[in-house]
Amino acid sequence: MADMKTFCGRTNPITGALDWAEESEEYDYHQEIARSCYADMLHDHDRNEKYYQGIRAAVARVMARGEKVFVLDIGTGTGLLSMMAIAAGADFCYAVEVFKPMAEAAQSIVEKNGFSDKIKIINKHSTDVTVGPDGDMQVKANVLITELFDTELIGEGALPSYEHAHQNLVQDGCEAVPHRATVYAQLVESELLWSWAQLQPVEVEGGRLVPPPAVGRCAGAHAVCDVQLSQVSPSSFTPLSPVCTMFSVDFSKPVSSAFQCHSTQFVAQSDGRAQVVLSWWDLHMDPGGTIVCTMAPSWTYSQPKRAPWRDHWMQSVYFLPTESRVTEGDQLSLTVCHDDYSLWYSLQPNSQQDTQAEAPPSRPCCTCQAHLVWTRSRFGELNDRRRTESYVRALHSVLRDDGVCLAVSDGSLLPVIAHMLGARKVFSLENSRMSKQVVEQILEANAMSRGVELLEVRPEQLTRNDLRGEQISVLMGEPYFSTSLLPWHSLFFWYCRTALSGLLRPDAAVLPGAASLHMLAVEFQDLWRIRAPCGNCEGFDVSPMDEMVQRSLDFRESREAEPHPLWEYPCRALTQSAAVMTFNFTQCVPQQPISSQGSLPFIRTGRCHGVALWMEYHLTDDITVSTGLIGPISEQGDCEWSRHRKQGVYFFRSPWQSPGDGRRQVSYSFTFQPSSGDIKMDFSITA
């Protein structure tokens, strides 16, 4: 019988067409491996060293009691912590890993290091593991090692896993590494961070666009906002509280996954608007708390440059359900609640504590739909005054008194702004019912429902009847689409413009009129670690993991760029930035491919880890909006990146050394395929 092929339909984010691609378990396997960030964890020397110290101490305590040491390692990953336990003197280790490719990698690594007789890899979820003569484990463990944590500490199901382990898999009074976790929080006022949660009023030509009341009252999305807080300057927020200890979890004792609340009282340090809670946690690897692995941002350190970098664990930003005024000296109470997977915060005066104890704060839930339609970075983009001013100036230059505008962007304020600037009629295509309803709320709040008509229809299906017989004089877009991951995915606007060409006046203006793809060769301060081979980690050979990741990368048809928010990941420019490809939106998408080749000389010394890529949109001949670099490159090569969009990063398989004398250069080749919307790219070093 012939093998059955499976085909999966996906909407192409650039062309908008439904593409059918052959799928297989093999493809999914390699995709999972290629996207894994185990290299980041293996390169985290601070994490590994603290775990090793804690494991040696725990094993020594059990041995000192005259007991054999049986270890349970939940979420073993590469098997590194299990090997540490055996090297520390443990008698046997049960290493549990639910993800099959990682369990296979762990088995290879354990065998390569000669530990296969003392480490058993169990490819199951820990809650399915059994103990007994015929079970997965022969005996219950007296040392519990785990790495089940995420940025929010408990988001990967740590509490239910610990709860089950203490009930079924470990002995009473077992040693645990880590021994304890402690969660910290700080209440702040921050215009920058609050702009990621609430739509702010927009000033347009003396008029004012106000957010809908329902959006202002909404508690927002419940999901945590995880960021590299070290890259959020302390000058961008005002602390209203000290750093507060919110709660601790002792992992050596039975753990509960039930709903809980914890409150901390403090005196307000300054006047301000209570808006945002910054949060992070520490792992105490031993009972005495002498071995600590902290997630605190670098600006809490006396020497910030000594703060360890990690991307698998970052810091958390929580937005309060509503902002409130506080005065220096106020007695306040900050409350954190959690279920088995997530945390949320609330603020009350001390006088309300008794009431709060009877009715704990409910988990935030979006009721306005805006927080379901717009991401946090999208909120920030819509609240960017300078960016809005660029669009206002550009619209001014193309609008006519009898102008009829058509907007093509998801959940955009452009149609509202065009109406405020005097457009006779404005139509807007919305890609989803929910997005349409959010914009309808904005129109209603600003009494503009008659001036702007929202159409839930695909561009190629739009007819003149939908436009009430009108011809479009201005086709506009930011462009922004919720389906875009990489910067050039917003070229979907170009395909929409092509589909709509028959509805445009011969002299219609298209805004933006063009876009350009830009590149820059860079040296990353830390981001390179997520793709760097590990080879040896704390004295253990983990090269089978490197080999598996490389095979997975080779399995893909071509190497690809990845989306990353570069404002969170500092890098140095080793070349000048350059526009490497231009797309003319005043014309339809061409039939033939567009190609571009060239080279950029290295002008600064450093290790070139890859290329940063972004789009710039030329609204008019003299007004450009960048989704990448937003300021000049410093003399040292430091870059300032837009916080609103992710940039593309193409990692080289191994770093290239830049002499910085201009004699070596990075050569590039780009090809845009109109039929698929793909941009193929290739790079090399030339003398």
Side-chain angles (χ1 to χ4, degrees):
M1 182 176 177
D3 291 338
M4 295 294 291
K5 293 183 179 180
T6 302
F7 291 88
C8 182
R10 291 192 179 93
T11 300
N12 186 307
I14 303 178
T15 67
L18 183 64
D19 293 342
W20 291 93
E22 185 177 344
E23 289 271 322
S24 68
E25 289 186 6
E26 182 81 351
Y27 178 82
D28 291 338
Y29 169 95
H30 285 285
Q31 285 289 89
E32 289 289 342
I33 293 296
R35 291 171 180 167
S36 68
C37 290
Y38 286 94
D40 171 28
M41 291 184 278
L42 294 174
H43 280 290
D44 187 347
H45 176 68
D46 178 73
R47 163 195 178 271
N48 299 336
E49 182 183 44
K50 300 294 175 54
Y51 259 102
Y52 208 173
Q53 291 174 3
I55 289 169
R56 285 195 295 260
V59 170
R61 287 194 297 273
V62 175
M63 293 174 68
R65 298 197 292 263
E67 302 175 20
K68 284 192 171 183
V69 182
F70 295 99
V71 176
L72 172 61
D73 176 7
I74 301 179
T76 194
T78 60
L80 177 64
L81 303 185
S82 294
M83 293 189 295
M84 288 179 176
I86 298 301
D91 293 278
F92 199 82
C93 180
Y94 299 100
V96 181
E97 175 56 53
V98 68
F99 182 36
K100 184 177 179 180
M102 281 311 308
E104 293 174 352
Q107 186 66 54
S108 297
I109 292 169
V110 164
E111 290 174 359
K112 187 155 191 172
N113 286 271
F115 292 123
S116 56
D117 60 333
K118 289 197 171 186
I119 298 176
K120 179 182 179 182
I121 305 297
I122 303 172
N123 181 207
K124 288 185 175 182
H125 194 285
S126 65
T127 55
D128 295 326
V129 171
T130 57
V131 180
D134 299 320
D136 303 300
M137 300 171 59
Q138 297 298 299
V139 296
K140 288 187 175 182
N142 50 14
V143 174
L144 175 59
I145 300 172
T146 58
E147 208 284 54
L148 299 171
F149 314 112
D150 69 347
T151 293
E152 203 172 15
L153 183 67
I154 64 173
E156 290 187 1
L159 296 182
S161 296
Y162 272 112
E163 188 172 45
H164 177 269
H166 276 286
Q167 291 172 354
N168 301 279
L169 306 178
V170 299
Q171 300 175 20
D172 293 341
C174 74
E175 300 287 344
V177 182
H179 179 83
R180 179 174 58 252
T182 302
V183 174
Y184 304 93
Q186 185 171 37
L187 179 69
V188 304
E189 173 186 352
S190 173
E191 181 179 352
L192 168 66
L193 299 178
W194 192 241
S195 73
W196 298 351
Q198 287 291 343
L199 186 62
Q200 306 299 322
V202 180
E203 305 294 334
V204 180
E205 295 291 302
R208 200 163 195 253
L209 192 161
V210 298
V215 176
R217 293 193 301 266
C218 183
H222 69 266
V224 65
C225 177
D226 54 341
V227 298
Q228 292 281 0
L229 267 183
S230 295
Q231 301 308 314
V232 176
S233 170
S235 64
S236 65
F237 61 85
T238 302
L240 303 179
S241 78
V243 175
C244 301
T245 300
M246 298 307 301
F247 68 94
S248 293
V249 182
D250 187 336
F251 298 127
S252 70
K253 299 177 181 177
V255 171
S256 172
S257 61
F259 172 88
Q260 294 183 36
C261 282
H262 309 270
S263 295
T264 297
Q265 286 71 48
F266 66 91
V267 176
Q269 293 183 333
S270 60
D271 299 347
R273 294 172 296 164
Q275 300 169 324
V276 176
V277 175
L278 311 181
S279 184
W280 57 89
W281 44 267
D282 289 349
L283 293 178
H284 303 258
M285 298 298 183
D286 63 324
T290 59
I291 308 168
V292 180
C293 184
T294 179
M295 306 308 122
S298 62
W299 35 259
T300 65
Y301 283 66
S302 57
Q303 296 177 285
K305 290 186 177 180
R306 298 190 65 180
W309 183 86
R310 47 179 66 96
D311 202 46
H312 51 103
W313 297 328
M314 294 188 280
Q315 294 80 37
S316 302
V317 174
Y318 297 91
F319 303 100
L320 293 178
T322 57
E323 66 175 345
S324 57
R325 279 278 173 190
V326 301
T327 303
E328 183 178 356
D330 283 352
Q331 300 280 336
L332 300 171
S333 178
L334 185 64
T335 297
V336 61
C337 298
H338 70 79
D339 52 22
D340 49 351
Y341 282 93
S342 60
L343 283 70
W344 60 94
Y345 284 83
S346 61
L347 181 72
Q348 305 88 20
N350 276 352
S351 59
Q352 293 183 9
Q353 276 301 289
D354 292 339
T355 304
Q356 180 265 320
E358 296 174 6
S362 59
R363 178 174 175 166
C365 178
C366 177
T367 55
C368 72
Q369 298 190 99
H371 299 91
L372 305 178
V373 169
W374 294 328
T375 63
R376 268 99 184 208
S377 57
R378 179 59 172 163
F379 267 99
E381 187 169 55
L382 294 173
N383 287 325
D384 187 331
R385 297 184 185 92
R386 290 181 61 183
R387 181 178 177 276
T388 299
E389 289 169 2
S390 294
Y391 281 96
V392 168
R393 287 191 290 115
L395 279 171
H396 251 312
S397 69
V398 299
L399 280 178
R400 309 166 182 167
D401 292 339
D402 63 342
V404 177
C405 300
L406 175 62
V408 182
S409 277
D410 291 351
S412 175
L413 300 182
L414 273 188
V416 187
I417 293 172
H419 178 69
M420 294 177 72
L421 293 176
R424 176 172 62 83
K425 184 65 179 176
V426 181
F427 297 94
S428 179
L429 299 188
E430 291 295 336
N431 76 331
S432 73
R433 178 66 52 84
M434 192 176 294
S435 177
K436 180 171 177 276
Q437 290 173 344
V438 170
V439 179
E440 283 174 342
Q441 290 183 61
I442 296 171
L443 294 173
E444 184 178 348
N446 291 275
M448 296 183 189
S449 299
R450 292 186 178 181
V452 179
E453 188 168 347
L454 306 180
L455 305 172
E456 193 180 341
V457 59
R458 292 179 59 83
E460 66 272 16
Q461 297 172 338
L462 189 70
T463 67
R464 202 171 301 283
N465 287 337
D466 297 317
L467 299 176
R468 310 289 185 257
E470 299 277 9
Q471 272 194 310
I472 302 303
S473 58
V474 177
L475 176 65
M476 58 188 181
E478 301 187 38
Y480 169 83
F481 303 100
S482 59
T483 53
S484 298
L485 294 176
L486 289 161
W488 44 92
H489 286 174
S490 289
L491 287 175
F492 179 53
F493 177 79
W494 201 11
Y495 288 82
C496 294
R497 178 259 181 270
T498 303
L500 296 165
S501 58
L503 302 176
L504 305 181
R505 292 183 185 179
D507 59 346
V510 180
L511 187 156
S516 51
L517 176 64
H518 291 244
M519 69 163 274
L520 177 69
V522 297
E523 175 185 51
F524 284 109
Q525 180 175 301
D526 295 296
L527 188 63
W528 60 270
R529 301 173 196 270
I530 70 171
R531 291 292 171 264
C534 302
N536 184 287
C537 181
E538 309 302 324
F540 301 96
D541 186 350
V542 294
S543 58
M545 185 65 201
D546 295 332
E547 294 163 6
M548 187 166 61
V549 170
Q550 191 57 59
R551 286 196 303 271
S552 298
L553 290 170
D554 292 340
F555 180 83
R556 295 187 288 179
E557 292 182 4
S558 64
R559 285 182 54 76
E560 303 165 352
E562 306 171 9
H564 291 284
L566 291 186
W567 73 269
E568 295 186 58
Y569 305 108
C571 60
R572 288 178 58 243
L574 301 181
T575 66
Q576 299 285 5
S577 65
V580 295
M581 190 170 278
T582 300
F583 311 93
N584 184 359
F585 294 162
T586 65
Q587 304 294 322
C588 293
V589 175
Q591 298 285 322
Q592 300 301 316
I594 303 173
S595 295
S596 172
Q597 296 83 33
S599 59
L600 293 174
F602 286 109
I603 59 174
R604 296 181 184 88
T605 58
R607 286 169 61 81
C608 183
H609 296 113
V611 170
L613 301 147
W614 69 96
M615 297 290 283
E616 295 192 359
Y617 296 104
H618 309 289
L619 307 185
T620 64
D621 290 341
D622 58 350
I623 303 174
T624 294
V625 171
S626 175
T627 65
L629 283 180
I630 56 173
I633 299 170
S634 76
E635 197 170 317
Q636 293 75 32
D638 298 326
C639 304
E640 183 180 1
W641 298 97
S642 169
R643 288 188 174 95
H644 308 321
R645 305 278 182 103
K646 291 182 179 179
Q647 292 72 41
V649 177
Y650 186 103
F651 287 102
F652 299 144
R653 297 204 174 192
S654 57
W656 296 336
Q657 191 62 40
S658 163
D661 56 10
R663 288 184 293 181
R664 299 188 78 195
Q665 47 200 357
V666 54
S667 296
Y668 60 82
S669 173
F670 290 87
T671 301
F672 170 70
Q673 297 285 354
S675 59
S676 64
D678 289 342
I679 296 181
K680 303 294 184 183
M681 58 191 74
D682 190 37
F683 304 93
S684 61
I685 290 289
T686 56

